[in-house]
Amino acid sequence: MPRPILATVHPAALEHNLNQARVRAPDARVWAVVKANAYGHGIERVFDALRGADGFALIDLAEAQRVRALDWRGPILLLEGVFEPRDLELCSRLHLWHAVHCTEQIDWLAAHKTQVPHRVFLKLNSGMNRLGFRPEAFRAAWARLNALPQVDEISLMTHFSDADGPRGIAHQVAVFEAATADLPGERTLCNSAAILRHAQSPLRGEGVSTLAADWVREGIALYGGAPDHPEHTAAGWGLQPTMSLTTRVIGVQSLQPGDTVGYGSSFTADRPMRIGVIACGYADGYPRHAPSGTPVLVNGVKTCTVGRVSMDMITVDLSPLDAAGVPAGIGSEVVLWGVSPSTGAQLPVDEVARSAGTISYELLCAVAPRVPFAEPVQ
């Protein structure tokens, strides 16, 4: 039989999470962000569940081709725009909308020969200081784009740096509104954190009138992660887990006080205990730096890892199951994150990520190619 590790995508949860964006921003259209192969879920696996989105947003031309190959005829947005002039030819052929964040991209458009003008999203650097025109250069960039016959409609966008934290978004929204005042075009501001925390906030007294705007961009929330964990949980936001990573116990060891576990002997037993060896490791995408104590479910009971994560195996404490009288041994079900198929018990990916000193985005995106995916079942 194949090695027992398995990833499962939950289409109903994807549909549910997509609807959460509509509930919080009812007047906006929703981009389903499917960059990084749909946050590790697989574009083809999530597509049917996300057909209800108004558009798909991503960064890779090859992924845009995959979405078009699935017979999606609606909008597709390249969030980082094009990377070289010839990319514009594929944008024309696939009818892709694309961000414009630098003068070079405008130069490429000016030299581009096309019979079909492009829909572009002019990006403002409102304080994130990654991509985008600074406020003092924004209107000149807009004017130049507006004069190009290669450009049809110009939409306006920015990205929030602190929507998930105490600093919030008001300072960036103020910059955006000042820079875009009186300019025509649809707006897109909100990422997942802004959708959940701010899209329904009473900020209009501060001049924030276009927050939910015309489009919102749902990323990690679409995949059941809370962007502001641990302040809020995914369940607290009404989100459901969209991926489960499961495996089985493949070995059991009985330890005595003083026995150590794994490479580097980083864990030492302080009492008699049983540990289970499970089929998962850093070659499967599980973080090697996850410390002892990282949560895991065995037969629906919450326990934790012990010792160092190795390439193909992790060891887990079976003591909580023994104490609860729950049988555990070779073949027992293990949930690294997600939902137990046998008991329905859940282990949020955010909780695992926090213990490992990272974020749910990284865990979901890092699932390795050698991990098989179950066929989605509606």
Side-chain angles (χ1 to χ4, degrees), residues 11-355:
L14 286 160
E15 294 179 23
H16 171 88
N17 295 343
L18 177 64
N19 189 56
Q20 293 305 298
R22 298 203 183 281
V23 168
R24 288 174 169 80
D27 297 325
R29 282 167 285 173
V30 180
W31 292 108
V33 181
V34 294
K35 63 180 180 176
N37 197 25
Y39 287 52
H41 290 61
I43 287 173
E44 288 76 11
R45 296 186 195 99
V46 305
F47 178 74
D48 284 340
L50 299 182
R51 279 184 179 272
D54 299 290
F56 289 91
L58 38 74
I59 64 171
D60 189 87
L61 281 167
E63 291 186 340
Q65 288 178 298
R66 288 163 61 189
V67 174
R68 283 285 183 244
L70 293 165
D71 201 31
W72 175 256
R73 299 184 182 182
I76 298 176
L77 174 62
L78 296 176
L79 291 166
E80 296 179 1
V82 297
F83 301 106
E84 61 180 6
R86 64 178 180 177
D87 293 345
L88 291 168
E89 299 173 9
L90 193 57
C91 288
S92 294
R93 190 158 66 248
L94 296 178
H95 304 288
L96 305 180
W97 301 356
H98 50 98
V100 172
H101 61 77
C102 61
T103 55
E104 289 80 1
Q105 290 175 328
I106 300 179
D107 293 340
W108 300 340
L109 270 166
H112 178 53
K113 293 179 172 58
T114 180
Q115 295 181 339
V116 181
H118 290 234
R119 170 79 175 268
V120 299
F121 280 66
L122 182 61
K123 186 162 191 175
L124 173 70
N125 174 11
S126 60
M128 182 77 160
N129 288 314
R130 294 193 311 188
L131 302 180
F133 291 90
R134 296 191 66 83
E136 60 270 20
F138 190 78
R139 284 181 174 267
W142 184 92
R144 190 175 172 209
L145 281 172
N146 192 50
L148 292 180
Q150 293 91 341
V151 174
D152 178 16
E153 187 173 345
I154 305 172
S155 298
L156 311 172
M157 71 185 300
T158 195
H159 192 65
F160 295 131
S161 59
D162 293 275
D164 58 348
R167 189 182 185 195
I169 62 172
H171 62 293
Q172 285 187 260
V173 175
V175 172
F176 181 86
E177 293 209 325
T180 63
D182 302 322
L183 290 180
E186 294 183 341
R187 271 81 164 148
T188 176
L189 293 86
C190 287
N191 54 8
S192 286
I195 293 169
L196 295 173
R197 293 172 65 100
H198 304 292
Q200 294 179 329
S201 298
L203 294 174
R204 284 171 173 75
E206 302 175 17
V208 181
S209 58
T210 58
L211 184 55
D214 303 288
W215 292 87
V216 295
R217 308 185 301 272
E218 190 179 19
I220 190 60
L222 191 62
Y223 304 100
D228 57 354
H229 185 86
E231 181 180 351
H232 293 94
T233 65
W237 283 126
L239 304 173
Q240 298 178 0
T242 60
M243 182 198 291
S244 297
L245 184 63
T246 60
T247 186
R248 297 279 175 182
V249 174
I250 60 171
V252 176
Q253 296 290 338
S254 296
L255 305 185
Q256 296 302 314
D259 286 346
T260 61
V261 178
Y263 289 119
S265 300
S266 63
F267 177 84
T268 302
D270 61 0
R271 65 191 188 283
M273 61 186 298
R274 290 197 313 141
I275 60 168
V277 183
I278 67 173
C280 181
Y282 60 77
D284 300 296
Y286 197 88
R288 182 180 181 274
H289 57 268
S292 292
T294 299
V296 64
L297 298 181
V298 178
N299 285 348
V301 176
K302 190 173 183 179
T303 181
C304 65
T305 65
V306 294
R308 189 175 294 172
V309 174
S310 57
M311 180 180 287
D312 308 303
M313 288 173 279
I314 301 171
T315 45
V316 300
D317 184 5
L318 298 181
S319 301
L321 288 91
D322 295 339
V326 177
I330 291 178
S332 291
E333 174 196 271
V334 178
V335 177
L336 284 310
W337 63 72
V339 183
S340 164
S342 62
T343 69
Q346 294 190 13
L347 178 59
V349 65
D350 292 313
E351 190 176 327
V352 180
R354 185 177 187 228
S355 180

